[in-house]
Amino acid sequence: MKLSNKTRQAVVQSRRALQLLAALLVLLAAWLAWTGWQQMQDGTRRNQLATTRDALAQSTGRALQAELARLEERMASTPVRAALADGDLAAASAALGRDWPNLESATIHDTGLAEAYATAAQAGYGRIAVAEAAMTEGRPVMWVVRDGDAPRLALAMPARVGETLVGVAYVRLPLARAVAGLDAVDVPGSTYLALRQGGFTLADRGDPDYAASAERMAVPVDGTGLRVAAGLPPRPAALFGLAALPSIVVAAILLLLAYVLSRLPSLVGRPESEEAAAAPTLEQALEMEPVMDTEQSATPVRETRPAAVAIDPGIFRAYDIRGIVGQSLDIGVAELIGHAIGSLMHEQGLKDIVVGRDGRLSGPDMVAGLTAGLRKAGRDVIDIGMVPTPVVYFGAYQLRTGCCVSVTGSHNPPDYNGFKIVVGGETLSGDAVTDLYARIAEDRLYTAPSPGGVTERDIASDYVDRIASDVQVDRPLKVVVDAGNGVAGEIGPRVLEAIGAHVEPLFCEIDGTFPNHHPDPSEPHNLTDLVEMVKRFDADLGIAFDGDGDRLGVVTRTGENIFPDRLLMLFAADVLERNPGAVIVYDVKCTGRLQGHILRHGGSPLMWKTGHSLIKAKMRETEAELAGEMSGHFFFGERWYGFDDGIYAAARLLEILASRPEEPSDVLAALPAGISTPEIKVDAPGGNPHAIVERFVAQAKFEGGARPSTIDGLRVDFPDGWGLVRASNTTPVLVLRFDADSQEALDRIRGEFRTQLLALDPDLPLPF
């Protein structure tokens, strides 16, 4: 085809534009080809991992079923049957374990499990739980339990003479018998495989970065309570939504088009002008490195005014920092606190920290001061804005900093504010908190040569998606959510709607003055509006959050306030279904019925001090799967991160209730209950409740089979109830609670405490 001079001239004049366009097409083609290749690699990796996972599940299942079959065969053998018929459990136990490969122990217990309970403190409750399950279900069962100092493979089976149950066989094998298959498989690169029971990982291999997402590809090991979890990197992005093969085909077409465009000026026959010669060729354009703007402007540290108030050591509490703005807290004090936290991080080699705040009016100033102090110590601050405290904790995991500070006054009055601090994955408490004050007082503060940076991130959607990806309700429930104008008012309803609930919001507009009622669900009078709205909307349940969203309150359709210790019973039974023998931690304010409830469901109960950081520390120490406090803090180690989260606890509650055929009010009403009081808060004369409690512990005397405990304050358990006096670590008040089997017993116990408290200080303003 012959081109006109005008056309030829236009083509030649556009030479540079055509070559640049060709270069862009080549880059786009390379991007498409790369994403296509990545998708092909991902598909191959997923197929290999799925094949390996399924093979592991089958081989593990066969090995464990063989052990169960061996147990049934041994129990049916003549020596065991003869010994059982003679009532000789010791001889039956010896015959059961004779010549069993890799056996650690074999015992046939009596039906009361007397010996097992007698040694539970040393061996744990796991073996009791599996034995109880075998007798309850009337068949052989197999669990992994903690027996002694480590997890073991436990088998149990009812022991019968004819149709009469005379005992239960318990066989203990090394954990290696269950996990041997995992050691034998070839785990593809950049993937992860784990053998799990409930929230406990028995063994794993591969890249631990994919452990958290491994449940999405988990498959059960048939005939056992185990499962094989498999994790791998997220699917690569598909450019323009194209799959692997279409991406490569389109890339080839673009390369061909780029070649034509780059050659077009030459094809029209015009010699290169000086300008054209100076322009880069296609090859040169591809070889050119992009110009990067490496200059980074450092955001200056915000200048803050000197502290207008002297720093008060009293704001450094047992498990956080808490004070009154304008009296013991201001922007200057916040800066010193940030500088102290940053200095601690420097000593531990930690660089990044997440900071978030609740909806209090003083929050922006407190964050500004805190951030300035952290940056002085050279720390890089990630500001996630106004979010509940659990979202701040979540940010430390999601952004992999291991450090965070939630600027919050929690459930305290509007003029309070404070700091909940995590450094290196541990919530600061006790001496670690008071050491921050010591650093400031002794001027042991590290100042970096140049200030750290500050960035802003929004992780609210990540938090919602993480919960909704794991928790979904089986049927829709209608719930009224009362945030008390606290910071959970926006994201709390979002989470519950994302898991499938229908939410009616109440006081969910965030307002740091808390105009409707105080955001403390542990006070029954703060739930009055919620009870009324649940009835008005004919809702299944009422959910209440505190000021920073880490505590949960619940009321039923009938208007009953379900105290948190009873909710913990429901959570414990659910968790123990998947984690027999697990440790469940609860604080000293919880009902005495909780211990028996946990034991009946095969768990290991542990009472501990009140305080979110103290509970979390005890959970790490004991590897507990669940913990709870009477104040409404719930800590899930199973399927979650172990921090207190009222929003996540609400989601788990709805998951449990929606899985039951009964009405939620009926399920909650069926939980063991007696006669109990809510938390009774009494202003401490002189503002020092700890001194009063110390005197009370030293002087109080109780009779009638009383069993005192001084874990936290003084708790006295009687055969028919208990009473407690302790000092609050957040406000200058005494906290009392009473619980009994009957109103008569409650009145008696409460009266004894009243008499002895007034003998200690006649001016105590006791409301009973």
Side-chain angles (χ1 to χ4, degrees):
M1 177 180 178
K2 186 175 182 179
L3 300 176
S4 66
N5 288 335
K6 187 175 182 179
T7 302
R8 185 187 301 274
Q9 185 179 9
V11 171
V12 172
Q13 288 177 347
S14 62
R15 177 185 184 90
R16 175 176 291 183
L18 290 173
Q19 289 190 335
L20 288 176
L21 179 58
L24 290 174
L25 289 175
V26 170
L27 291 174
L28 182 58
W31 191 2
L32 278 166
W34 171 250
T35 58
W37 180 81
Q38 281 189 312
Q39 290 182 76
M40 293 176 66
Q41 291 292 103
D42 179 70
T44 300
R45 183 167 52 233
R46 285 179 183 274
N47 290 336
Q48 290 177 343
L49 183 62
T51 299
T52 303
R53 174 202 63 193
D54 294 344
L56 175 59
Q58 292 173 8
S59 63
T60 302
R62 287 193 297 269
L64 298 180
Q65 289 296 332
E67 296 292 358
L68 280 175
R70 191 194 307 271
L71 173 60
E72 292 187 82
E73 179 183 347
R74 293 292 183 94
M75 290 297 291
S77 66
T78 300
V80 172
R81 292 173 61 189
L84 289 175
D86 293 339
D88 190 344
L89 296 185
S93 299
L96 174 63
R98 190 172 296 123
D99 299 326
W100 191 317
N102 302 313
L103 180 76
E104 291 187 349
S105 67
T107 307
I108 298 181
H109 295 279
D110 61 76
T111 55
L113 297 171
E115 179 186 351
Y117 274 104
T119 57
Q122 295 76 35
Y125 291 91
R127 56 178 177 164
I128 297 174
V130 70
E132 293 276 13
M135 289 190 289
T136 300
E137 298 178 23
R139 62 176 182 85
V141 297
M142 180 201 68
W143 290 348
V144 173
V145 303
R146 181 169 293 277
D147 189 342
D149 59 350
R152 261 86 173 198
L153 180 64
L155 313 179
M157 179 180 175
R160 290 187 172 88
V161 175
E163 296 298 321
T164 304
L165 181 68
V166 297
V168 58
Y170 175 78
V171 172
R172 192 180 77 185
L173 296 167
L175 183 63
R177 191 70 185 96
V179 303
L182 182 59
D183 297 331
V185 299
D186 182 22
V187 180
S190 298
T191 62
Y192 174 85
L193 273 179
L195 187 65
R196 292 175 174 174
Q197 176 180 269
F200 181 63
T201 298
L202 308 180
D204 61 359
R205 289 183 57 197
D207 192 334
D209 286 345
Y210 308 120
S213 61
E215 286 301 316
R216 297 172 186 172
M217 290 183 62
V219 297
V221 178
D222 290 340
T224 73
L226 308 181
R227 64 190 185 283
V228 178
L232 74 175
R235 291 185 185 275
L239 192 60
F240 307 128
L242 295 175
L245 185 58
S247 295
I248 294 173
V249 171
V250 173
I253 295 172
L254 291 176
L255 285 174
L256 179 60
L257 181 58
Y259 175 78
V260 172
L261 290 175
S262 67
R263 298 292 299 162
L264 188 58
S266 301
L267 295 176
V268 299
R270 181 182 183 278
E272 296 182 357
S273 65
E274 291 182 5
E275 180 182 356
T281 65
L282 173 61
E283 182 180 24
Q284 291 170 336
L286 292 176
E287 292 176 350
M288 291 174 64
E289 295 185 2
V291 178
M292 303 296 292
D293 182 9
T294 57
E295 184 178 353
Q296 297 179 351
S297 59
T299 306
V301 176
R302 173 173 172 172
E303 291 296 328
T304 58
R305 63 182 182 275
V309 297
I311 192 160
D312 178 5
I315 67 176
F316 295 81
R317 307 294 184 90
Y319 39 83
D320 56 22
I321 299 172
R322 196 74 55 82
I324 299 175
V325 177
Q327 295 183 23
S328 54
L329 272 184
D330 69 357
I331 192 170
V333 172
E335 182 175 333
L336 289 171
I337 291 170
H339 203 173
I341 296 169
S343 301
L344 176 62
M345 291 175 60
H346 169 71
E347 292 176 1
Q348 298 185 15
L350 303 167
K351 183 69 172 174
D352 300 322
I353 183 167
V354 173
V355 171
R357 65 178 177 89
D358 67 14
R360 290 165 190 267
L361 303 185
S362 60
D365 276 351
M366 294 298 102
V367 168
L370 177 75
T371 300
L374 288 165
R375 295 182 63 205
K376 277 187 177 180
R379 303 311 96 187
D380 291 333
V381 176
I382 305 173
D383 187 344
I384 62 173
M386 186 168 64
V387 295
T389 293
V391 179
V392 180
Y393 294 151
F394 172 78
Y397 288 90
Q398 177 75 4
L399 303 178
R400 301 190 178 187
T401 66
C403 302
C404 65
V405 178
S406 178
V407 179
T408 174
S410 188
H411 60 284
N412 293 109
D415 54 345
Y416 276 76
N417 216 323
F419 307 86
K420 296 180 178 179
I421 307 161
V422 177
V423 174
E426 294 191 8
T427 303
L428 299 193
S429 63
D431 292 342
V433 173
T434 55
D435 181 64
L436 294 179
Y437 171 75
R439 286 176 181 274
I440 297 169
E442 299 165 10
D443 197 24
R444 291 188 287 112
L445 302 175
Y446 168 76
T447 299
S450 59
V454 58
T455 57
E456 295 181 357
R457 290 286 298 270
D458 183 354
I459 64 169
S461 295
D462 295 330
Y463 175 79
V464 175
D465 293 344
R466 169 63 178 84
I467 296 177
S469 68
D470 178 58
V471 180
Q472 287 290 315
V473 296
D474 291 342
R475 58 188 173 94
L477 296 176
K478 180 188 285 190
V479 295
V480 179
V481 173
D482 179 1
N485 300 112
V487 72
E490 191 274 331
I491 200 170
R494 278 179 61 189
V495 167
L496 301 186
E497 288 175 343
I499 69 169
H502 175 73
V503 176
E504 296 288 350
L506 174 65
F507 307 142
C508 286
E509 304 81 10
I510 301 173
D511 185 337
T513 65
F514 310 127
N516 292 289
H517 65 73
H518 193 56
D520 183 357
S522 70
E523 296 287 354
H525 64 267
N526 291 327
L527 303 175
T528 302
D529 294 316
L530 179 60
V531 170
E532 178 63 30
M533 293 302 291
V534 169
K535 293 178 181 177
R536 182 178 301 178
F537 284 108
D538 192 30
D540 294 294
L541 207 64
I543 298 293
F545 299 123
D546 73 332
D548 66 335
D550 60 3
R551 305 199 312 174
L552 172 67
V554 174
V555 300
T556 68
R557 177 180 288 171
T558 60
E560 183 183 4
N561 178 8
I562 306 299
F563 289 146
D565 50 1
R566 293 181 68 205
L567 287 178
L568 187 57
M569 294 179 184
L570 189 67
F571 290 141
D574 177 67
V575 169
L576 289 169
E577 285 183 3
R578 297 176 294 276
N579 302 272
V583 174
I584 310 295
V585 181
Y586 57 96
D587 78 321
V588 295
K589 294 185 289 185
C590 289
T591 175
R593 294 168 191 79
L594 184 56
Q595 180 183 34
H597 188 82
I598 293 170
L599 286 171
R600 284 192 296 274
H601 285 83
S604 303
L606 176 63
M607 186 168 69
W608 194 238
K609 301 175 182 179
T610 294
H612 67 94
S613 57
L614 306 178
I615 292 288
K616 280 179 275 194
K618 182 57 67 172
M619 285 186 73
R620 286 193 300 272
E621 177 188 335
T622 60
E623 299 180 352
E625 296 286 359
L626 175 69
E629 294 183 277
M630 182 60 196
S631 59
H633 290 269
F634 295 99
F635 313 74
F636 285 86
E638 188 216 36
R639 297 164 53 190
W640 197 234
Y641 302 99
F643 55 75
D644 42 332
D645 188 340
I647 300 170
Y648 179 76
R652 289 287 290 264
L653 175 63
L654 296 187
E655 178 189 49
I656 295 169
L657 295 176
S659 68
R660 307 285 184 88
E662 307 96 326
E663 289 296 317
S665 294
D666 295 335
V667 174
L668 295 171
L671 295 171
I675 308 297
S676 61
T677 68
E679 293 185 31
I680 302 170
K681 297 177 181 177
V682 178
D683 291 334
N688 189 352
H690 293 276
I692 296 174
V693 170
E694 288 177 6
R695 291 169 55 203
F696 188 64
V697 169
Q699 299 179 24
K701 303 295 181 183
F702 292 90
E703 305 295 337
R707 301 187 310 278
S709 169
T710 56
I711 291 176
D712 185 1
L714 179 62
R715 172 168 168 154
V716 183
D717 283 84
F718 301 88
D720 53 357
W722 58 273
L724 168 73
V725 176
R726 60 175 295 274
S728 170
N729 288 309
T730 57
T731 53
V733 299
L734 296 172
V735 179
L736 298 87
R737 192 174 185 231
F738 303 97
D739 181 276
D741 296 338
S742 65
Q743 185 65 49
E744 180 183 5
L746 183 73
D747 293 341
R748 187 194 78 248
I749 296 170
R750 189 163 48 186
E752 288 189 40
F753 270 78
R754 175 183 171 83
T755 299
Q756 300 215 35
L757 282 168
L758 292 179
L760 184 71
D761 187 344
D763 295 328
L764 277 175
L766 299 178
F768 58 89

